[in-house]
Amino acid sequence: GRVARWVDLGPAARIGLMVGALSGTSALAVLAASGAWSLLGLGMAAGSAVTAGLLGGWLIDHFTLGPVRQIETTANRMAAGDLTQVIEANARGAVKGLQVALAQLNVNLRSIVRDARSQVEQMRDATSEIASGNQDLSSRTESQAATVEQTASSMEEITATVHNSSQ
């Protein structure tokens, strides 16, 4: 295996190790003050440091980074167009504020999309009515043009008849 470098560790692991180091340092200080530098004492100090580090890392990951990852996943789903999700604000502190803001954003986006769909539907209906009216007007115009053409033809016949009668 490969030994992890400090920069390769995630934030929770870094903080956990710092907490563990502080805990181990505290345990060593207690041992030094009491003069009990036994192998068992050093092992217990190291064990408590590792335990505190792991516990601290888990707590940070579970209560801070876990909800932030959930917010990130939810935001990515919203960005992909999924507005169907229900977002619950179940965290604490600033993370809860982010959850509340994201939930409100989701509600607002759903409302905007619903209103846009409604407007598109109304435009589609209005466009259909205009197209129908244009078709009706075109039909009436063609009919009137045919009537005018018949009238013009009849006038030509009357003019020709009158002209022939006058000669």
Side-chain angles (χ1 to χ4, degrees), residues 42-150:
L42 288 175
M44 288 177 60
S48 68
V50 169
T51 302
L54 291 174
L55 180 63
W58 180 84
L59 288 171
I60 289 168
D61 185 67
H62 182 73
F63 289 108
T64 303
L65 299 179
V68 170
R69 281 191 212 107
Q70 183 183 18
I71 290 171
E72 178 186 20
T73 301
T74 301
N76 285 332
R77 286 177 58 191
M78 287 173 61
D82 180 7
L83 302 177
T84 61
Q85 45 196 339
V86 175
I87 303 165
E88 295 180 17
N90 52 10
R92 295 181 184 146
V95 175
K96 182 174 185 167
L98 283 173
Q99 288 175 324
V100 168
L102 193 61
Q104 187 60 51
L105 177 64
N106 194 38
V107 168
N108 292 350
L109 285 174
R110 263 189 280 183
S111 177
I112 289 169
V113 169
R114 183 183 57 244
D115 291 348
R117 284 181 179 158
S118 173
Q119 294 296 322
V120 166
E121 187 64 34
Q122 288 176 4
M123 263 204 260
R124 187 177 307 141
D125 292 345
T127 303
S128 177
E129 288 176 17
I130 290 170
S132 176
N134 285 343
Q135 184 64 32
D136 183 48
L137 179 61
S138 173
S139 178
R140 286 186 282 135
T141 302
E142 286 177 14
S143 174
Q144 287 178 353
T147 302
V148 168
E149 192 177 308
Q150 287 177 349

